[in-house]
Amino acid sequence: MEVKTKIELIIKAIRDRFSNRESISRDELFNLYKEYQPDIIEPTFAWNIYNLKKKKIIFPISRGIYSLKAKPKFQPDVSDKMKRIFMSVKRKNLSDNLSIWDSSWLSEFMIHQPMKNVITLETDADVLETVYYHIKDNEYKKVFMKPDEKQMEQYVMEEQEPVILLPYVSRSPVKEYSKIIIPKLEKILVDLFLGFKLFYWVQGQELKNIFDEVHRRYQINYTTLIAYAKRRGADKRLKEFIVHETDIPKDMFYD
């Protein structure tokens, strides 16, 4: 008869007890460990949490919140046009910070599909105008700098694949992907939530659909999400929106 180690028994207990749960709190895991190791102390428990993550038994989704299910990372399509615009600005060293994405990435999360897509390029605020003229003169004529809602409706969305140029927010959650820098899903969600004038076609029920579908399909770090929202002065409003307007579990925001 196979004799299981205490660690194996704990892992089995975690899976048995929380297999039907979308999330598990650190306190719940600590209480389970105490059933098997009554004298366990915090440093030892912290090492066990680290080991569970390393073995891919649990996956962090927020501060002190974990899941037993591994969701895939978001892997968007990056067009040649996006790469060309990004690399043109980068090669000229026009901006220290760059990020680019395409609103077509939202299609898989939306019910009502927009007729047009928009490429958004973010650069350092002090070189916006320089980058604007560089792109317009060398790469692409259909570029708009910091358009307001009226300009978006009357001019931007009348073009095929327009580019909008916005100021880069410092310490934004971005990543290198397909040789360019793109925003992480956490940043896109916050920008959509706050950009009701720019992204007017993804507000209301459609915005709720996007949040719900992103949560259902892909890895999201809610600590990163809220930290970026806080940098933009909207963490409380975003929490209220998620808790009251979406199907995302409230316990993602336990401290």
Side-chain angles (χ1 to χ4, degrees), residues 34 40-41 45 78 118 148 192 196 213-214:
K34 288 186 72 174
I40 191 170
I41 58 176
F45 175 65
V78 174
V118 177
D148 57 25
L192 290 177
F196 58 91
E213 285 301 303
V214 168

Side-chain angles (χ1 to χ4, degrees), residues 21-244:
R21 293 268 300 277
E22 187 167 350
S23 62
I24 318 160
S25 72
R26 195 176 191 277
D27 287 343
E28 288 175 311
L29 288 173
F30 184 68
N31 290 333
L32 186 147
Y33 265 88
K34 288 186 72 174
E35 294 175 19
Y36 292 85
Q37 301 174 353
D39 298 327
I40 191 170
I41 58 176
E42 174 57 33
T44 305
F45 175 65
W47 181 88
N48 278 280
I49 288 291
Y50 169 80
N51 201 38
L52 290 174
K53 291 190 289 185
K54 187 177 180 181
K55 291 182 176 180
K56 300 188 183 301
I57 306 298
I58 62 173
F59 303 89
I61 51 180
S62 185
R63 183 181 294 111
I65 304 294
Y66 307 93
S67 173
L68 294 181
K69 300 173 184 176
K71 295 178 183 178
K73 293 182 178 180
F74 183 54
Q75 307 286 353
D77 292 327
V78 174
S79 67
D80 290 338
K81 177 180 174 181
M82 289 176 63
K83 289 182 180 179
R84 189 168 61 250
I85 292 171
F86 182 93
M87 295 306 299
S88 174
V89 176
K90 183 179 179 180
R91 280 194 294 266
K92 289 291 185 178
N93 293 318
L94 297 176
S95 179
D96 293 330
N97 296 294
L98 288 172
S99 173
I100 193 168
W101 70 284
D102 193 321
S103 66
S104 65
W105 298 353
L106 303 174
S107 296
E108 65 176 291
F109 312 124
M110 299 177 67
I111 294 176
H112 303 98
Q113 296 298 316
M115 297 297 293
K116 305 286 181 66
N117 296 317
V118 177
I119 292 175
T120 300
L121 176 67
E122 293 189 6
T123 74
D124 289 324
D126 59 343
V127 295
L128 271 178
E129 189 170 347
T130 301
V131 172
Y132 169 79
Y133 283 111
H134 170 76
I135 296 174
K136 200 171 183 65
D137 293 341
N138 298 279
E139 294 295 331
Y140 199 66
K141 302 298 182 185
K142 302 170 186 177
V143 57
F144 301 84
M145 184 170 60
K146 294 194 297 184
D148 57 25
E149 184 176 13
K150 183 178 179 180
Q151 290 172 321
M152 286 295 296
E153 292 186 21
Q154 293 186 354
Y155 303 107
V156 180
M157 298 308 288
E158 291 298 313
E159 302 287 353
Q160 289 293 330
E161 290 192 315
V163 176
I164 61 174
L165 192 59
L166 300 176
Y168 186 93
V169 178
S170 64
R171 299 204 296 276
S172 288
V174 297
K175 64 180 180 180
E176 184 174 347
Y177 179 75
S178 193
K179 298 182 180 180
I180 64 174
I181 302 299
I182 66 170
K184 294 182 178 179
L185 272 177
E186 293 87 349
K187 172 174 165 55
I188 292 176
L189 289 176
V190 174
D191 290 346
L192 290 177
F193 176 73
L194 293 175
F196 58 91
K197 292 183 178 180
L198 286 178
F199 305 105
Y200 61 89
W201 68 95
V202 292
Q203 299 308 307
Q205 185 60 48
E206 200 67 84
L207 184 63
K208 301 173 189 178
N209 295 335
I210 291 172
F211 270 77
D212 285 337
E213 285 301 303
V214 168
H215 171 79
R216 186 175 69 84
R217 299 184 189 196
Y218 294 109
Q219 292 181 21
I220 290 291
N221 187 311
Y222 285 92
T223 300
T224 299
L225 182 88
I226 296 302
Y228 176 62
K230 187 174 183 179
R231 278 200 57 73
R232 302 201 59 187
D235 51 319
K236 292 181 180 178
R237 281 190 290 142
L238 182 60
K239 281 184 182 180
E240 289 177 0
F241 168 77
I242 293 174
V243 168
H244 297 296

